[in-house]
Amino acid sequence: MTFPPIRPARDEEIPAVGHLISHSFFHLDANAYLVPPLEDRLKVMADFFTLLTEHAQKYGRVDVIDLPDGSGLAATAVWFDYTKDSPDPEAYDERLRELAGDYIERFVALDLLFEKHHPHEAHWHLAFLAVHPDHQHHGLGGELMKRTHDELEAAGVPAYLEATNENNVRLYRRTGYADMDPFEMLLPDGTPFFRMWRAV
């Protein structure tokens, strides 16, 4: 199957990007912690990912790959540029409280965990790499990473990410990321994220 080339997401596509990430991440342990009921998870997480992707569209990069038939998105990579200062997402606390509803304390715990462990050195942050479940194993995630990695290498800028499971850790190690110290960071229920750094 041949997919179209990588392109920047358009502003009006950001909700679709958020939905794609939510669909792709639906069964991850972290998403199950954040929104335990299956009937709520897709929408709440899509709204959350949309909120962050809106910000990345302004202060980073959102790349997408279209489905071959043009009917939607097959994959996306959402990056934040931490080589320069940027504001917090506009009205973040209020919007998060509105979208999270009864699950707000879990989202606050996630934010506090990420803030505590985020590196201070200038870098780009791969926040989300998502491929539609029906179109995985075609190398789309690798293509999306390579595009930005090539540019970061040329500019001498490292990259950072939080992997969600051991399978992803192995994938990212193959693309040049190394385990950080500390490596694991744990949500209140013990669900781990794994901190990884790609030096230049």
Side-chain angles (χ1 to χ4, degrees), residues 20-41:
L20 170 63
I21 300 168
S22 181
H23 187 52
S24 301
F25 290 6
F26 189 82
H27 294 292
L28 291 180
D29 290 343
N31 282 31
Y33 164 78
L34 290 168
V35 186
L38 294 176
E39 63 271 19
D40 292 344
R41 188 179 303 161

Side-chain angles (χ1 to χ4, degrees), residues 169-192:
V169 166
R170 286 191 289 272
L171 165 68
Y172 293 130
R173 284 174 180 156
R174 290 198 299 270
T175 59
Y177 287 86
D179 305 355
M180 297 179 71
D181 184 17
F183 183 40
E184 282 190 349
M185 53 181 185
L186 304 178
L187 287 167
D189 71 339
T191 296

Side-chain angles (χ1 to χ4, degrees), residues 43-113:
K43 182 183 188 312
V44 173
M45 294 308 301
D47 289 346
F48 177 62
F49 294 134
T50 297
L51 170 60
L52 296 180
T53 302
E54 284 177 1
H55 198 60
Q57 183 80 333
K58 298 175 183 176
Y59 300 102
R61 162 183 283 176
V62 182
D63 287 329
V64 296
I65 297 175
D66 294 300
L67 290 170
D69 64 3
S71 63
L73 302 176
T76 187
V78 178
W79 296 84
F80 287 99
D81 179 0
Y82 280 92
T83 65
K84 54 192 177 187
D85 291 334
S86 61
D88 291 333
E90 187 174 352
Y92 178 76
D93 291 344
E94 295 84 353
R95 293 179 67 188
L96 181 64
R97 187 167 298 277
E98 180 180 353
L99 71 87
D102 293 341
Y103 315 112
I104 183 62
E105 291 184 3
R106 295 169 181 257
F107 282 87
V108 170
L110 176 76
D111 283 349
L112 291 174
L113 182 71

Side-chain angles (χ1 to χ4, degrees), residues 145-199:
M145 282 191 290
K146 185 178 187 308
R147 170 181 170 156
T148 299
H149 288 161
D150 287 350
E151 294 182 14
L152 294 179
E153 286 178 9
V157 176
Y160 168 73
L161 58 81
E162 303 102 350
T164 53
N165 56 50
E166 293 286 358
N167 286 335
N168 288 341
V169 166
R170 286 191 289 272
L171 165 68
Y172 293 130
R173 284 174 180 156
R174 290 198 299 270
T175 59
Y177 287 86
D179 305 355
M180 297 179 71
D181 184 17
F183 183 40
E184 282 190 349
M185 53 181 185
L186 304 178
L187 287 167
D189 71 339
T191 296
F193 288 92
F194 303 96
R195 303 167 68 242
M196 304 190 75
W197 186 261
R198 190 176 194 272

